[in-house]
Amino acid sequence: MTQMTALVLETHGGPFRQTEVIRPVAGPGQVLVRIRASGVNPLDTKIRAGQAAHARQPLPAILGIDLAGTVEEVGPDVTGFRRGDEVYGMTGGVGGNQGSLAQYAAVDARLLAVKPATLSLREAAALPLIFITAWEGLVDRVGVRAGQTVLVLGAGGGVGHIAVQIARAFGAKVYGVDAAGKADYLRSLGVVPIDYASEDVEAYVAKHTGGQGFDVVYDTVGGASLDAAFKAVKRFGHVVSSLGWGTHALAPLSFKAATYSGVFTLLPLLTGEGREHHGAILSEATRLAEAGQLMPKLDPRTFDLSTAAEAHALIETRGADGKLAIDVD
């Protein structure tokens, strides 16, 4: 049997072990991807630590949710890809699905899209989870459209910096709440920056909307940020959150006859339901990237399988300046 190099996690909170394992074979509906880069998300570090009850991965396991690479083999019943295609996707690392910290993965072809020609493999590997999360919130749940005012909380973060680019691509007027140090970057994306440390929600709603509130508010932070979203939305507006944890008073939302929607991006990986839609969403990411309307912010530091734990540590200590990607092969 042919083998490959992989990082295996044997205990939650433990070290990665680099070892040789059997290389998978593409089954019906699958393609075998030679992985070139593995994106690193905060969720990856939580899964590793055993702190993500909603995203369990039975151990021992190969982690890594996002990948970019080259199609090596095409399994039966797959017609959309061929050997040599550069692809990317959110394909594993949870629910018993092999992750991307390995040289190869046999993945459901429905989860993949052709990589944007304008992005490197590392940039493409940084996109799937954050782009799908942002798109499901703004497009699938809200139906964002030209002329709307969109407020993104945590606008300089992983999901946030993609959400503002999607909203801009649809013609919305976009405002972004984050630290003052991210203001210049947000301005470069065409976003009106709001410093959460110097302006509370009542102040920036009054300043930017005359007290009416925003048509759409996307909370990417959770906790008190979601409470702020309920205060910031206008009457009959729409709040969406990718981190709807905790206990929240719904009265500020209800008294405005506003709507709340949650996003749980992992469902297709965990249940198998809706996988075609994830591939379709990433095809939209390819379209936007190739049109010059989408670019992930990537930390310039590089990592490989031997230093993957260092990438995880940077995420855990919030030391990364943008997304991180691990060069696999």
Side-chain angles (χ1 to χ4, degrees):
M1 291 185 178
T2 305
Q3 293 192 312
M4 66 174 181
T5 303
L7 293 186
V8 176
L9 182 71
E10 295 172 327
T11 58
H12 287 126
F16 290 120
R17 182 169 65 89
Q18 186 167 321
T19 186
E20 296 294 309
V21 299
I22 295 172
R23 192 178 90 175
V25 175
Q30 293 183 325
V31 297
L32 181 68
V33 178
R34 184 175 182 179
I35 301 168
R36 304 292 189 176
S38 170
V40 187
N41 298 286
L43 181 57
D44 292 300
T45 68
K46 291 176 179 142
I47 292 170
R48 181 184 175 197
Q51 297 173 350
H54 63 297
R56 293 193 182 279
Q57 177 73 324
L59 302 183
I62 298 168
L63 303 188
I65 293 171
D66 291 335
L67 64 74
T70 307
V71 173
E72 187 80 5
E73 298 174 2
V74 177
D77 305 322
V78 175
T79 58
F81 300 100
R82 60 186 178 182
R83 180 181 169 87
D85 283 347
E86 289 188 328
V87 296
Y88 68 133
M90 174 182 159
T91 61
V94 297
N97 301 291
Q98 184 210 304
S100 55
L101 291 176
Q103 288 179 306
Y104 295 88
V107 304
D108 189 329
R110 297 174 295 174
L111 296 168
L112 296 172
V114 174
K115 180 189 79 67
T118 52
L119 299 185
S120 69
L121 285 159
R122 294 180 69 243
E123 289 167 337
L127 264 179
L129 173 62
I130 57 174
F131 186 89
I132 292 169
T133 303
W135 183 277
E136 286 188 341
L138 287 174
V139 182
D140 293 348
R141 304 292 186 276
V142 171
V144 65
R145 61 187 183 274
Q148 287 185 314
T149 54
V150 174
L151 177 72
V152 178
L153 304 175
V159 174
H161 87 289
I162 298 299
V164 299
Q165 293 179 69
I166 292 172
R168 287 271 296 156
F170 275 78
K173 174 70 173 177
V174 185
Y175 302 79
V177 176
D178 215 308
K182 296 185 179 180
D184 287 343
Y185 171 66
L186 291 174
R187 285 192 194 96
S188 76
L189 298 178
V191 176
V192 177
I194 298 170
D195 174 18
Y196 63 76
S198 63
E199 291 185 278
D200 61 21
V201 61
E202 289 82 6
Y204 64 70
V205 167
K207 177 179 178 180
H208 296 292
T209 75
Q212 296 300 303
F214 299 87
D215 294 310
V216 176
V217 183
Y218 196 152
D219 161 50
T220 72
V221 181
S225 178
L226 182 53
D227 294 322
F230 293 160
K231 296 178 182 178
V233 72
K234 72 184 299 184
R235 290 174 186 162
F236 308 105
H238 203 142
V239 172
V240 62
S241 179
S242 56
L243 284 171
W245 303 106
T247 301
H248 302 274
L250 296 178
L253 188 77
S254 299
F255 291 156
K256 297 175 182 178
T259 300
Y260 171 78
S261 295
V263 175
F264 185 37
T265 315
L266 297 180
L267 275 177
L269 272 179
L270 295 173
T271 68
E273 182 180 358
R275 291 188 173 188
E276 299 94 338
H277 188 49
H278 273 198
I281 291 173
L282 288 178
S283 292
E284 293 294 328
T286 296
R287 178 182 64 81
L288 291 178
E290 292 182 346
Q293 295 178 298
L294 174 69
M295 174 59 71
K297 184 179 182 184
L298 201 64
D299 189 295
R301 285 169 284 194
T302 59
F303 306 88
D304 58 23
L305 289 180
S306 68
T307 56
E310 296 176 19
H312 273 228
L314 267 179
I315 295 290
E316 291 168 333
T317 59
R318 300 192 176 188
D321 183 22
K323 289 279 294 180
L324 299 180
I326 295 168
D327 296 317
V328 175
D329 190 37

